[in-house]
Amino acid sequence: MSDAPWALPAEEVLRAQRVDAARGLEAREVLERRGRHGRNRLRAARRRSGWSILARQFASLIVVLLGAAAAVAFAMRDWVEGVAILAVIAINAAIGFFTELRAVRSMEALHRLGQASARVRREGAVREVPAAELVPGDIVLVEAGDVVTADLRLVKGSKLQANESALTGESAPVEKRERAAAHDTPLAERTPMLYKGTALTRGAGEAVVVGTGLDTELGRITSLVEETEAAATPLERRLDRLAHRLVWVTLVLAAAVAAAGLATGRELGLTIQTAIALAVATIPEGLPVVATIALARGMWRMARRNALINRLSAVETLGATGVICTDKTGTLTENRMTVHGFELAEQRTEEEALEVGALCNNAEGETGDPMEVALLAAAQKAGIGRRALEERLPRVNEVAFDPETRMMATFHRGDGGLRIAIKGAPEAVINACTLDDPEKKEWLRRNEALAAEGLRVLGLARAEAADESVDPYDGPQLVGLVALRDPPREDVREAIARCRAAGIRVVMVTGDQAVTARAIAEAVGLGKDLEVLSGSALRPFGELSEAERQKLLRAGVFARVSPRQKLDLIDLHQRSGEVVAMTGDGVNDAPALKKADIGIAMGKRGTQVAREAAAMVLRDDAFASIVAAVEQGRIIFDNIRRFVLYLLSCNVSEVMVVGLASLVSAPLPILPLQILFLNLVTDVFPALALGVGKGDPRVMRRAPRPAAESILERRHWIAIAAYGALITAATLGAFAVALLGLRLDERAAVTVSFLTLALAQLWHVFNMGALRNPWVWSALALCVALLAAALYLPALADVLHLSPPDAGAWLVIAGFSVLPLAAGQAWLASRRFAI
């Protein structure tokens, strides 16, 4: 076919593609063309290879420090210790590799869940298919809010506009129409074409696919665009900064311990090894791996609750959400509309109203806007079939719904000329019709009475015309009002109650009438006697007085809100210090979804533009899914805080044990290789268990944390010091009793202090509120088994310089190892310390 489809009439393009626009392609033809042209995708996002993930495990300062320790051991001809340190490096790398590999693959799988789709006509039926399955010749139905997923030649359209800034850099929407353009027309002026990667901002239409994958305009320039690595989240960056600060603290401590050891005459090699081991002990090497696992597992839990995360940073922000601005239809309600009844004008019949609703309608069976699906269903139930109706009154033109006029019109050819069917917002339709002022007031009163019952109301009108050039909204005749019922979701009342208990304000933001919004708000449990304000009350922050700001902040419902006013509402709450989540589904909601701290798009009824602008997509459009995602956000942050607190307090105890012993010239209670072994046993596995826990069931009974709150606040640093001191005291106490009380030799005494420190750190996990976490119990069982192997496997015991304790030593170990847990629990009870 021609390489310039914009220069050919639409009929010629259809012939060249061998497709009938009214029927679409046959299934066998789709398969044949996909085999010939391939799948409709550009260069796939680079999948991180296993080798790159493995290499990442060795690209850290921790490995450098461990490698230095191994080098010192080999230089001093201590082959066993050198090999043992290399084994620790390998084991650490293996743990990091397998856990990170699983997390990365999980996130890649989640990304695939959110891939784009398209509405196509195949074998005479309209269906939704993954965008990757489009083939040349497919007939695609497009409307405002869609992201164009292939290069398309427009066949017919109504008031179509597209944002082509992704290709041309021009941000102003471009008008689109089916009339052919000149062959040499530049890309930015090819009005019959819709290009992959652009977005429709207005109108509706049908188009034929003329290019897929790399054969699209976007595909031709894709070699200029390289896939970039995902940026680290703010939480990951904070953890990274924390680790780097600890490096410098560690180096100072290690230098001090080394200087003290040399000053007291300790053997040079042992002193250097101890200093390096201390450096490794202070750095929580499990941080990056556990953080990745915690985020990935939290995302999977959200996905199981129908919340897909587009941006990883949203996971941590969710936990700080203080205000949820939510749409009504489909989020608080079922979005399963049924026609409840009619208010008809004089001499108009219900059949005539049903005909207008079925003609001015773009739904296809159960596919399409739920309101239009309900109108079709009501007509079908009354014996007015859509197919028979359109055969009698075929559609010849459409004026797509316009947010400014808030109406839609379709032109149909009948025996006596053209009939126009109109539907839209009741106020807009009533004001457009040929009614005198008293009649308009009466119809507006009827509309308000229906809306006060929580019903969704539409105005219906009709007109006659000689040709398609007339303005359909210039004085049509009112047919009446149709009332539709959209019941509240069953789980919404409970979800809103959970938000209230969690200190989260829920604000309904809707384009519906105020009386309808109030009725639904009361039905879903937002409260009685709510302050309901019109969107017109929202203005830029600087234009509001303090009294107006406070009034707006108190309001629980905003009605007749425009997309521009949503931005003002978000700004108002953000300037008051709140983290704001905002739902949206339309193309005009995209700016608000981007501005909100958490933009939440609807997966079922939302446009692709909205889904791409949002940080989170709800696959079920349910408000309860937002609340579940907020809960997971809180749990993830708590879990990360728990394992950081745990790791640092354990590592501080190791530093204090060796540091204090060195300062007083006492024998070392724990040897360098033992420290490395403990880091492997007591750091990684319990920390992983803390990172993937289900969280505190009371997490939604406390107020949101401030958005700027650090992972570790002052109270947490105090707790780290206190816990570290408790474990240190227990370890040194057990060591002293073993040496002075039980008169054990140094190897046996070091075994006692080693086991006391190891078990005290393991029991310390319960100071992190992990009693109900089954992963923690599994981690403890594994760690105890590894400690037993270190004691009773001769080869491993010799490497670690350990000997099996006797009964008296075990009593000392058991007694001293539980003291930090007991003291920690008493301290928690008295201080009511919150993680």
Side-chain angles (χ1 to χ4, degrees), residues 142-148 152 154 156-165 170-178 188 190-195 197-206 398-404 587-588 609:
V142 296
E143 60 184 2
D146 287 351
V147 171
V148 181
L152 311 176
L154 199 60
K156 61 181 179 180
S158 171
K159 289 195 171 182
L160 269 174
Q161 288 184 346
N163 182 329
E164 297 186 332
S165 57
E170 176 56 55
S171 60
V174 180
E175 294 283 347
K176 294 293 179 179
R177 51 184 177 271
E178 57 265 33
R190 294 173 189 168
T191 54
M193 295 295 295
L194 301 174
Y195 287 110
T198 64
L200 296 181
T201 59
R202 184 180 179 186
E206 293 183 9
E398 173 187 339
V399 178
F401 178 82
D402 189 326
E404 293 181 9
V587 62
N588 292 325
V609 170

Side-chain angles (χ1 to χ4, degrees), residues 16 115 133 143 166 173 219 221 321 344 383 402 416 432-433 503 530 537 661 677 804 827:
Q115 290 179 345
E133 294 183 8
E143 60 184 2
I221 62 172
T321 300
L344 298 171
D402 189 326
C433 286
L530 284 168
F677 182 82
W827 184 68

Side-chain angles (χ1 to χ4, degrees), residues 108-167:
E108 290 171 350
L110 278 176
H111 178 73
R112 290 193 293 273
L113 287 177
Q115 290 179 345
S117 60
R119 291 177 68 211
V120 301
R121 183 179 291 123
R122 288 178 180 169
E123 299 183 320
V126 174
R127 62 193 68 175
E128 194 163 301
V129 301
E133 294 183 8
L134 289 178
V135 297
D138 259 328
I139 302 299
V140 180
L141 282 66
V142 296
E143 60 184 2
D146 287 351
V147 171
V148 181
T149 51
D151 280 4
L152 311 176
R153 170 51 162 97
L154 199 60
V155 174
K156 61 181 179 180
S158 171
K159 289 195 171 182
L160 269 174
Q161 288 184 346
N163 182 329
E164 297 186 332
S165 57
L167 279 179

Side-chain angles (χ1 to χ4, degrees), residues 306-575:
N306 294 306
L308 292 180
I309 300 298
N310 282 345
R311 292 193 288 275
L312 202 57
S313 59
V315 176
E316 62 201 79
T317 309
L318 273 166
T321 300
V323 174
I324 300 175
C325 297
T326 176
D327 191 9
K328 172 183 71 66
T329 304
T331 308
L332 300 179
T333 63
E334 292 278 4
N335 204 24
R336 190 168 40 83
M337 291 189 177
T338 55
V339 172
H340 180 72
F342 296 89
E343 287 280 343
L344 298 171
E346 284 187 22
Q347 299 182 345
R348 299 296 181 186
T349 65
E350 191 171 300
E351 180 179 347
E352 191 173 1
L354 288 168
E355 280 192 0
V356 171
L359 288 170
C360 190
N361 197 311
N362 283 327
E364 296 273 352
E366 294 294 320
T367 305
D369 183 284
M371 183 177 59
E372 294 191 329
V373 170
L375 291 172
L376 281 185
Q380 185 70 41
K381 190 175 180 181
I384 303 172
R386 170 77 168 277
R387 191 178 295 267
L389 187 62
E390 291 199 336
E391 286 177 1
R392 179 164 59 88
L393 296 166
R395 181 186 296 195
V396 295
N397 195 14
E398 173 187 339
V399 178
F401 178 82
D402 189 326
E404 293 181 9
T405 63
R406 292 162 50 213
M407 291 183 286
M408 167 189 176
T410 53
F411 290 72
H412 302 266
R413 188 168 301 286
D415 295 335
L418 291 180
R419 181 193 291 188
I420 305 173
I422 300 164
K423 78 172 190 298
E427 310 98 301
V429 173
I430 290 167
N431 286 322
C433 286
T434 52
L435 300 169
D436 58 31
D437 287 344
E439 288 176 315
K440 286 183 179 180
K441 288 180 181 177
E442 170 59 19
W443 279 104
L444 291 172
R445 185 198 63 76
R446 292 191 193 184
N447 163 55
E448 191 162 335
L450 291 170
E453 298 178 32
L455 298 169
R456 178 77 179 272
V457 187
L458 282 175
L460 303 174
R462 58 170 291 174
E464 312 294 333
D467 57 57
E468 301 170 33
S469 64
V470 302
D471 179 359
Y473 308 134
D474 184 13
Q477 299 170 334
L478 182 68
V479 173
L481 304 176
V482 57
L484 302 101
R485 183 175 295 283
D486 184 11
R489 288 180 180 265
E490 292 182 0
D491 55 0
V492 163
R493 182 175 284 272
E494 179 188 350
I496 288 175
R498 293 188 72 204
C499 285
R500 192 173 290 118
I504 300 170
R505 288 196 64 230
V506 179
V507 180
M508 181 194 288
V509 184
T510 178
D512 254 346
Q513 306 172 74
V515 285
T516 304
R518 181 188 294 278
I520 294 296
E522 292 180 356
V524 300
L526 279 176
K528 299 282 187 182
D529 303 320
L530 284 168
E531 183 150 22
V532 181
L533 298 180
S534 168
S536 59
L538 290 163
R539 301 193 304 280
F541 189 85
E543 297 178 12
L544 298 169
S545 67
E546 183 59 29
E548 287 174 321
R549 291 171 191 166
Q550 293 305 316
K551 183 178 181 180
L552 291 170
L553 288 170
R554 287 194 303 269
V557 179
F558 289 88
R560 290 300 193 219
V561 177
S562 71
R564 168 70 248 182
Q565 291 159 349
K566 283 187 177 184
L567 291 172
D568 293 332
L569 180 60
I570 293 169
D571 187 55
L572 176 73
H573 282 289
Q574 286 176 333
R575 285 175 181 257

Side-chain angles (χ1 to χ4, degrees), residues 535-766:
S536 59
L538 290 163
R539 301 193 304 280
F541 189 85
E543 297 178 12
L544 298 169
S545 67
E546 183 59 29
E548 287 174 321
R549 291 171 191 166
Q550 293 305 316
K551 183 178 181 180
L552 291 170
L553 288 170
R554 287 194 303 269
V557 179
F558 289 88
R560 290 300 193 219
V561 177
S562 71
R564 168 70 248 182
Q565 291 159 349
K566 283 187 177 184
L567 291 172
D568 293 332
L569 180 60
I570 293 169
D571 187 55
L572 176 73
H573 282 289
Q574 286 176 333
R575 285 175 181 257
S576 71
E578 298 286 3
V579 173
V580 182
M582 169 68 82
T583 68
D585 56 9
V587 62
N588 292 325
D589 289 331
L593 292 173
K594 285 186 176 180
K595 180 172 177 58
D597 299 285
I598 298 290
I600 304 169
M602 302 299 108
K604 293 173 73 174
R605 61 188 169 88
T607 61
Q608 291 181 36
V609 170
R611 291 198 292 267
E612 292 199 358
M616 185 169 84
V617 177
L618 300 183
R619 286 195 289 180
D620 60 356
D621 293 7
F623 181 79
S625 296
I626 301 175
V627 181
V630 170
E631 180 180 26
Q632 279 302 315
R634 290 187 175 192
I635 287 171
I636 289 167
F637 190 88
D638 283 358
N639 284 350
I640 290 175
R641 177 173 275 174
R642 278 190 176 91
F643 76 67
V644 171
L645 187 62
Y646 173 78
L647 284 175
L648 292 186
S649 51
C650 288
N651 290 2
V652 164
S653 68
E654 294 167 6
V655 172
M656 292 174 70
V657 164
V658 177
L660 289 174
S662 297
L663 290 174
V664 299
S665 302
L668 285 181
I670 183 167
L671 303 178
L673 197 55
Q674 293 171 351
I675 292 175
L676 297 176
F677 182 82
L678 281 186
N679 280 354
L680 178 65
V681 172
T682 61
D683 278 8
V684 176
F685 298 116
L688 277 173
L690 288 172
V692 300
K694 290 185 178 180
D696 187 342
R698 299 164 297 178
V699 72
M700 291 296 281
R701 297 180 199 165
R702 64 175 190 244
R705 62 177 174 81
E709 184 173 293
S710 302
I711 297 172
L712 297 179
E713 298 278 275
R714 182 173 177 273
R715 70 181 190 276
H716 299 109
W717 288 110
I718 293 172
I720 288 169
Y723 287 137
L726 286 172
I727 297 172
T728 299
T731 303
L732 292 178
F735 187 56
V737 169
L739 276 178
L740 305 176
L742 299 179
R743 304 285 182 177
L744 298 178
D745 59 45
E746 189 169 317
R747 178 165 175 164
V750 167
T751 300
V752 168
S753 54
F754 165 78
L755 290 174
T756 302
L757 178 59
L759 294 176
Q761 290 181 345
L762 293 181
W763 310 153
H764 173 50
V765 76
F766 295 117

Side-chain angles (χ1 to χ4, degrees), residues 202-285:
R202 184 180 179 186
E206 293 183 9
V208 59
V209 175
V210 295
T212 59
L214 293 174
D215 291 330
T216 61
E217 287 292 335
L218 190 62
R220 293 183 187 103
I221 62 172
T222 195
S223 59
L224 303 177
V225 182
E226 291 296 329
E227 189 75 23
T228 58
E229 290 291 330
T233 73
L235 179 60
E236 289 172 323
R237 288 196 294 270
R238 288 202 294 261
L239 288 173
D240 191 55
R241 284 197 300 270
L242 174 63
H244 276 81
R245 289 193 189 104
L246 289 172
V247 166
W248 295 107
V249 172
T250 297
L251 292 175
V252 171
L253 286 173
V257 168
L262 292 173
T264 56
R266 185 169 282 123
E267 193 265 324
L268 175 63
L270 181 60
T271 300
I272 294 174
Q273 289 176 348
T274 302
I276 293 175
L278 273 175
V280 176
T282 311
I283 300 171
E285 54 263 53

